Amino acid sequence: MQTFPPFSGLSPVTVAIRRGMGLTLSFSLLGISPLALAQSDAVADVNTDTMVVTGTALKVDAPILETPRSTSQVSREELDNRQVNKYDEVFRYRSGVLSQPFGQDNKADWFYLRGFNAEDSTYQDGLRQFREGGYFWWSTEPFGLESVELLKGPASILYGEAPPGGVINAVSKRPTEERRGLVELQAGSNDHKQVGIDVSGPVADRDDARYRMVGLFREGDGAIEDTDNQRVYLAPSLEVDLSDNTGITFLASYLKDHGTPTNGFKLPHGTVNNTPFGKLDPEDNLGEPGYERQEHEQWALGYELSHSLNDTWDLEQNLRYSHLDLLERDVYVSYMLDDRHAQRGMTYRDGDYDAITVDSRAIGHWYTDRLENTLLLGFDYQDLDINYDNYDDAAFGGPFDIFDPDYGNFTPSSRSGTEHQEGKEQLGFYVQDQLRMDDRWIFLAGLRHDSVDVTNRIDGQDNGGGREDEMTFSGGMMYLGDYGVSPYLSYSESFSPQIGTDPDGNVYQSSEGEQWELGVKYAPSWLDGYVTTSVFDLEESDTLYVSGESSNRQGGKRKSRGFEVEGVGYVIDELKVTAAYTYTDVRVDLSQAQKDVRAGLIPRNQASLWMDYEAQGLLRGLNIGGGVRYVGESKDSPQYSDTQVDSYTLWDAKASYDLTPQWTAQVNVNNLTDEEYVSGCEYWCYYGEERSVVGSLKYRF
């Protein structure tokens, strides 16, 4: 097998293509085999006639292009090419994803998947990252990742509680068999500074133990005046071969953020709508920069265990314990008092959470002359315990002039708030079978049962919760046609527990989602790449809707129908193209009188194109790239206003040059033309990112 230089910057996709051998992705979506990932330089299942993408999108090894579900992946190479320093920038050039709908927010990462909020959709290394209590969100650092994957549509069959839009899994960097190292320096606009270190290799020259240490320091100003953030991140890992059949990988991480949060909450008045005093500047700070604060600290420790029992059965287990501490103090514009003055509000959170997640699997394989069968049996457990003090103030300070801010006109909160105790305990059992027949037909079926206990106490009093049992199903079929054309049909379900009670005191039931998807995956022999298309019909029932009473009522629906196309490949050996288009029509029930109306925030049309060109000859070592992102018009949520948000088009650019085999210089520019735009409205409106320039220098050793 060809050996590639350490930290060459090339993913297995590019390595395979550039050697004329096809395209292979190490795609480990939400179910990772530690022993397989240890072979970080391996290029698996390369087929010289057709491209094969392998991975574990369904918690077992399976070719993704032979899986009847829609998926996307972003490799380490692409993260570096686009200089991704914030997690919600990852899928900007993929279909089905609305990234940063609330502008640039240094407190959290925001995605919408197929028209559904993805705040509960994030996983890392196959285990859930909890984001609860409105502000207690686990943070993901892109520098510590090997890749990021997306499974679109309901996924409760294998992962239990999940929103209908899909799940996102971040794959951590792992130890490597060979010694390698990287030091990266960055500097850029908004006083951006970053130092990253990544070293790995054998432990004391042993061949049965490997380590990796990833570290980062970053600081910079926010997109809004007088805001800033500083981050420290450490992620050590250790991989040990306990025997020829057993391996374990220990994974740990520590992250701390502190600074002044960017609160981009602005009303339609002064953003999308004109006023007698003009419009607000995107950098205007309508909060209290001297009072607002974010102190976020988190750490996690876990392992991944893999054991080959015999030629038929493999056993795997992932476990992680995580802890998060948070102090969050935010001031925002609540509503207008007149054309110039606004009333502001304040949110204060102070607390922590502890969580444990574990997933255990047994995987069996059987083969005959005509059949290949893979059976997956598993159970998982997750437990979250969150405690925090909530000191909200709906009338913070006096009238505030949004066009000529005068800070300091307020009285600090007396902290006469409420104490919250929330928790979720979930136990799930699942079975899934994959059958391949005559190298033409693929059938997939799965069944899962979950028991969920929800705790919700305010000042020691129950405020909804209890136990629920849920059964979910998924199934699909695919035909492996000639010329690389593979049509498929799939059905999947999801459920999401809801906390609280309706105006009559009835405890909310879980919202339930279901999706039908019809698609085609195309990987012809003449194209070093792939194209996937899909149409879907996705619906969540028993959603909450505004009732005009003391709390929301349940029984509404959120429906999303759409079409997606995505392609990645090399047009010529030197030019790689990534293209995507998304059409999404989302309809919601807002009240008993308003049903099936267009949802706010979500654009119907999105399109993107990114190209990377690697020069040859005298300019060898030069790589230039660029992209364009189009986001169509959207609307404010209809229960708030009829405000329309205009479409926008953004241009990005990149240039890098290998000074030597060890040194690389690179410059990235996002929003090249410095387009001023509103990314979306949902009662509040949010300005999108301004132009940013980041230069980097990398040294590999």
Side-chain angles (χ1 to χ4, degrees), residues 153-166:
S156 286
I157 175 61
L158 293 177
Y159 306 105
E161 173 192 351

Side-chain angles (χ1 to χ4, degrees), residues 382-402:
Q382 58 182 357
D383 181 72
L384 170 71
D385 183 21
I386 177 171
N387 296 274
Y388 64 93
D389 294 331
N390 179 1
Y391 308 114
D392 288 354
D393 188 349
F396 181 80
F400 182 77
D401 190 338
I402 64 173

